[in-house]
Amino acid sequence: MLQISNCKIGYSQTILLQNVNLRIQKKDFCLLTGANGTGKSSFAKTILGVNLPLTGTIENSFSRMAYVPQKSVLDEQYPLTLRALIKGAVKNNIFNFKKKSEALVDEVLDKTSLKNAQHLIIREASGGQLQRALIARALLCNPDFILLDEPFSNLDRDGRSNIVEVLHQLNGLKNVTIFIIDHVTALPFENLRTFLIEKKKIDEL
Amino acid sequence: MNSDFTFYLSRYSFEILASLPYFAGVSLFGLFLILRRSSLFGVVLSQSAQLSFLIGAALHFQTHSGAFDLINRTSSRNLSVELFHLDLYVLPISVLFLLPFLYLSRKSLKNAESTLLVLFVILAGSMPLVHKILGGNDSTLLKVYFSEILYTPPDMFLFYLPHIFLSCVLLFIFYPGILLSGYDPIQARLSGYSVSRYNYLYYFLTLIILSSSIKVLGIYVSIAAMLAPAMAALSFTRSMRSTIILTISFSLFLAIGGFATAFIFDNYPAEPIIILVITLGSFIVRFTVISISKFKNIQSRLG
């Protein structure tokens, strides 16, 4: 469970959100929507523990949080194949990288239909392939909570339905909590909890 | 010519061979600097390491002449012991320089790049002044910038080799965290890496490598070897492993080419020739690769 109480979110000089109170349960399927510059990404970073709230408290009992960033976050000059990008998320060093990890990478590549594109490097991959690779990377961490930042923005209809299917499975079969940040106000999921950021506040619709 | 070359090789074979690990090490760290878009940071860091060396040498030897005996490679004392004691001054001063640079190199800071450039000018511009204040002259100033690789005492090569080796080993041990912190800091945190610690570690190791290599290779040869081979390798590699292997290979190949060219133009100082061979060689590789890929693109569009 993630309990956000009386939080003020932003940076030292700029307050983006105030009086944020939210409770996200295990297996919830959430959508956070709002206009550009309203603080969606800052809120995401605060949930993930990357930024601290200016005031208030966050209680988090999710132990394996995963993040699917926007495609533009990645630096395309790194010579990384999609496979290497996915594998890179597992905490390893040269002494303990195991064959088991390779098998897990194969499994998530299968799930996201990326097997044929695994050897493309970041700058060669299409927006959809890269988006799926980022989702595959999140899956590799065996998460109990996934935060996706505009996951459908680069996808065609097939890619979109592929990701919707994967998220359905994760939420339904593996009880993973899904938190999507997007500009859209509706997504094809049942029991979707929708939150709107407006006037420095988050309200559930 | 052949007998001259044989003499050149036999006379300088140790210096040439012993300098190769420095070229390899410095280019490996340069690759990560380029990937992190911190090349300018690396150049500023090299200036600060050089300035620390000048100040450290002056503090350690207490006399100006002692410091310049070392720069002139004429010190008759036990060089390894001197260098060890010298590092007790140089490293803390370098770290002291490093701290504001780490703050200034943050991408989020406004005009970080311009600030680094101004810092570069301050450090590079003050070097001759500091040198003069410490009692140096114009000929020793050239040695501060370019070193004299072929006249570097063997003890100096051997003393800094463990620094290079250890820095590279640590880079490989912490490679996954350093890499992930570079291209996706948020994921790095979620994967359990402390991004700031990995960044500090990487920059500290870069400082060690630079502060060792500038004493042997000189500041400009170090910068050339740090940035040019990696720039060339990144033009056509498809994985980190091949990029690392190619960067080191280019660095070694071009360094050897530099030494060979320096033999041909033996009336001129070796170091500027080595710099030109490394940088121009890297540009030629990069230009050729880019041209071929553009030609292939045009061909595939037409075909």
Side-chain angles (χ1 to χ4, degrees):
Chain A
M1 184 196 69
L2 186 77
Q3 174 76 53
I4 303 171
S5 311
N6 301 317
C7 276
K8 201 183 267 183
I9 290 165
Y11 304 96
S12 53
Q13 302 291 325
T14 321
I15 295 164
L16 295 167
L17 296 166
Q18 51 194 5
N19 202 22
V20 180
N21 288 291
L22 260 181
R23 189 189 180 92
I24 299 164
Q25 306 271 25
K26 190 178 177 186
K27 216 186 163 184
D28 273 358
F29 211 123
C30 307
L31 167 69
L32 176 69
T33 186
N36 282 333
T38 47
K40 295 193 295 292
S41 295
S42 300
F43 178 69
K45 284 180 188 168
T46 311
I47 287 184
L48 294 170
V50 175
N51 292 350
L52 290 173
L54 297 174
T55 59
T57 55
I58 296 178
E59 287 169 49
N60 186 1
S61 61
F62 292 108
S63 55
R64 296 180 309 278
M65 295 181 99
Y67 174 56
V68 179
Q70 291 179 33
K71 177 198 164 214
S72 57
V73 168
L74 290 176
D75 191 339
E76 291 190 356
Q77 79 161 346
Y78 275 80
L80 292 169
T81 59
L82 296 186
R83 188 183 181 90
L85 174 76
I86 295 166
K87 211 164 69 176
V90 184
K91 190 172 183 184
N92 267 311
N93 61 44
I94 55 167
F95 297 122
N96 70 358
F97 193 78
K98 298 196 177 72
K99 279 190 177 164
K100 200 175 126 195
S101 310
E102 299 289 348
L104 288 172
V105 174
D106 286 329
E107 197 183 314
V108 295
L109 281 168
D110 264 342
K111 264 187 196 159
T112 46
S113 314
L114 268 178
K115 204 103 194 188
N116 293 331
Q118 61 176 311
H119 298 301
L120 291 176
I121 51 176
I122 296 176
R123 63 174 173 270
E124 290 171 348
S126 69
Q129 285 167 329
L130 197 51
Q131 195 68 59
R132 277 183 283 151
L134 291 169
I135 291 174
R137 185 176 74 168
L139 297 182
L140 190 64
C141 304
N142 189 25
D144 52 4
F145 180 103
I146 301 187
L147 193 148
L148 303 100
D149 197 352
E150 299 187 19
F152 304 112
S153 57
N154 296 301
L155 301 181
D156 57 16
R157 192 192 289 174
D158 284 350
R160 214 177 152 89
S161 59
N162 178 249
I163 296 306
V164 167
E165 178 63 31
V166 170
L167 295 179
H168 259 306
Q169 279 181 11
L170 280 170
N171 186 245
L173 302 175
K174 294 196 168 180
N175 299 332
V176 177
T177 305
I178 311 278
F179 196 99
I180 296 175
I181 295 175
D182 217 316
H183 291 289
V184 297
T185 48
L187 287 172
F189 298 106
E190 290 169 18
N191 306 322
L192 183 72
R193 292 178 67 192
T194 306
F195 299 93
L196 175 70
I197 294 190
E198 213 173 31
K199 295 174 184 165
K200 297 188 178 181
K201 282 188 175 173
I202 297 182
D203 294 312
E204 186 162 2
L205 300 179
Chain B
M1 174 86 174
N2 272 346
S3 62
D4 286 353
F5 191 63
T6 314
F7 171 75
Y8 176 78
L9 274 185
S10 61
R11 167 66 186 83
Y12 298 116
S13 57
F14 175 83
E15 286 79 0
I16 293 172
L17 283 175
S19 70
L20 294 182
Y22 290 85
F23 281 103
V26 93
S27 66
L28 175 66
F29 276 81
L31 167 65
F32 284 86
L33 278 177
I34 291 179
L35 288 174
R36 287 167 165 253
R37 298 182 189 269
S38 304
S39 309
L40 186 57
F41 177 79
V43 174
V44 177
L45 203 61
S46 66
Q47 300 290 328
S48 80
Q50 183 71 62
L51 203 59
S52 309
F53 172 55
L54 281 183
I55 297 169
L59 286 173
H60 167 57
F61 288 104
Q62 304 287 316
T63 62
H64 303 319
S65 61
F68 295 103
D69 281 350
L70 193 68
I71 291 164
N72 284 326
R73 276 72 167 147
T74 53
S75 176
S76 58
R77 287 171 279 197
N78 186 337
L79 195 59
S80 297
V81 176
E82 290 292 348
L83 289 171
F84 175 74
H85 287 141
L86 176 66
D87 265 355
L88 294 179
Y89 287 88
V90 173
L91 284 179
I93 298 172
S94 303
V95 172
L96 218 62
F97 272 124
L98 180 68
L99 295 176
F101 292 156
L102 286 176
Y103 176 74
L104 289 166
S105 68
R106 288 185 314 170
K107 301 277 185 298
S108 55
L109 201 73
K110 253 186 187 175
N111 303 322
E113 208 164 79
S114 314
T115 316
L116 276 174
L117 258 175
V118 172
L119 258 171
F120 167 76
V121 173
I122 292 171
L123 291 167
S126 62
M127 202 99 70
L129 189 68
V130 173
H131 184 71
K132 202 82 180 172
I133 290 169
L134 296 176
N137 56 41
D138 290 348
S139 68
T140 48
L141 185 62
L142 264 183
K143 280 167 194 164
V144 167
Y145 285 125
F146 289 101
S147 180
E148 277 186 330
I149 304 171
L150 295 175
Y151 299 99
T152 301
D155 281 0
M156 201 173 212
F157 277 116
L158 296 175
F159 179 78
Y160 288 113
L161 270 181
H163 294 55
I164 303 283
F165 179 72
L166 197 66
S167 300
C168 291
V169 168
L170 284 171
L171 180 72
F172 280 113
I173 289 174
F174 295 105
Y175 165 80
I178 289 173
L179 184 70
L180 188 59
S181 307
Y183 72 83
D184 196 344
I186 295 180
Q187 181 59 49
R189 279 181 204 217
L190 292 174
S191 296
Y193 297 109
S194 164
V195 174
S196 53
R197 272 188 213 162
Y198 275 88
N199 284 342
Y200 286 135
L201 173 73
Y202 168 69
Y203 288 126
F204 182 69
L205 293 178
T206 309
L207 181 74
I208 299 279
I209 277 269
L210 272 172
S211 100
S212 306
S213 71
I214 56 172
K215 290 164 201 154
V216 173
L217 305 181
I219 193 163
Y220 289 120
V221 175
S222 296
I223 293 172
M226 184 171 75
L227 301 177
M231 176 196 73
L234 278 167
S235 319
F236 56 97
T237 49
R238 299 180 60 85
S239 71
M240 276 306 293
R241 186 184 294 176
S242 60
T243 310
I244 289 171
I245 292 170
L246 262 182
T247 298
I248 293 174
S249 308
F250 279 153
S251 177
L252 296 178
F253 178 74
L254 291 168
I256 292 168
F259 282 117
T261 315
F263 162 74
I264 297 167
F265 299 100
D266 63 348
N267 285 333
Y268 300 95
E271 291 71 23
I273 293 173
I274 294 168
I275 290 171
L276 283 176
V277 170
I278 290 176
T279 49
L280 293 179
S282 301
F283 268 120
I284 289 167
V285 170
R286 188 176 166 83
F287 177 76
T288 311
V289 171
I290 290 172
S291 303
I292 290 171
S293 75
K294 274 190 180 167
F295 179 71
K296 275 184 180 171
N297 273 347
I298 293 168
Q299 249 191 346
S300 68
R301 269 185 216 164
L302 292 174

